[in-house]
Amino acid sequence: MLGADGSWHDVQPAAGAVLVNLGDLMARWTNERWLSTLHRVKPPIVNGTIARRRSAAYFHDGNIDALIETLPSCIGDGSKYEPVTVGEHLRAKLAGSRAGQPNTKAPREAARVLAAARPDRDRA
């Protein structure tokens, strides 16, 4: 995963555990208490040999008309996010990634991607 320091970090789940990558809407719900992380998947190498790994991707976007707003228990001094529907969130996200345009609705994610692309960063 890409850490706040801009470096890639290996993540090894505990034996018998399941590793879950949270979606972007979790940041809105929790006022960034829980964040999605930029991640990449590389096969584990054990004693110089690529080891087997199992991975199952499951994506669920929810009801397109559902309103996503910060949970009352996470507001504190105020929410960092305006309420948005699932559909509005997806349209804003796809407008940037699919149309090759900067996504002005995702400055935190964009900054982390740009920082990770710098040649002076660890690219393990």
Side-chain angles (χ1 to χ4, degrees), residues 24-36 68-71 74-75 78-84 89 105-109:
D24 295 338
L25 285 176
M26 190 61 70
R28 287 180 172 272
W29 271 324
T30 66
N31 213 19
E32 295 188 359
R33 286 185 191 173
W34 289 10
L35 298 171
S36 61
I68 306 300
E69 53 191 327
T70 304
L71 298 169
C74 297
I75 290 179
S79 179
K80 298 176 183 180
Y81 298 94
E82 293 295 320
V84 65
H89 173 77
K105 305 273 188 198
R108 178 181 61 88
E109 292 85 353

Side-chain angles (χ1 to χ4, degrees), residues 9 16 24 26-28 40-42 64-65 77 87 101-102 121 124:
H9 302 276
D24 295 338
M26 190 61 70
R28 287 180 172 272
R40 59 188 181 182
V41 178
K42 293 177 16 178
I64 201 156
D65 297 320
D77 292 331
Q101 300 297 316
R121 293 290 184 189

Side-chain angles (χ1 to χ4, degrees), residues 13-112:
V18 175
L19 178 65
V20 176
N21 290 307
L22 299 173
D24 295 338
L25 285 176
M26 190 61 70
R28 287 180 172 272
W29 271 324
T30 66
N31 213 19
E32 295 188 359
R33 286 185 191 173
W34 289 10
L35 298 171
S36 61
T37 59
L38 296 173
H39 61 280
R40 59 188 181 182
V41 178
K42 293 177 16 178
I45 299 177
V46 178
N47 297 326
T49 302
I50 295 176
R52 286 185 62 166
R53 86 182 266 289
R54 292 195 172 107
S55 179
Y58 175 77
F59 299 91
H60 179 73
D61 293 319
N63 182 327
I64 201 156
D65 297 320
L67 185 65
I68 306 300
E69 53 191 327
T70 304
L71 298 169
S73 61
C74 297
I75 290 179
D77 292 331
S79 179
K80 298 176 183 180
Y81 298 94
E82 293 295 320
V84 65
T85 66
V86 170
E88 291 166 337
H89 173 77
L90 289 173
R91 276 190 291 282
K93 232 179 127 118
L94 293 175
S97 63
R98 298 287 196 266
Q101 300 297 316
N103 184 349
T104 59
K105 305 273 188 198
R108 178 181 61 88
E109 292 85 353
R112 293 177 70 202

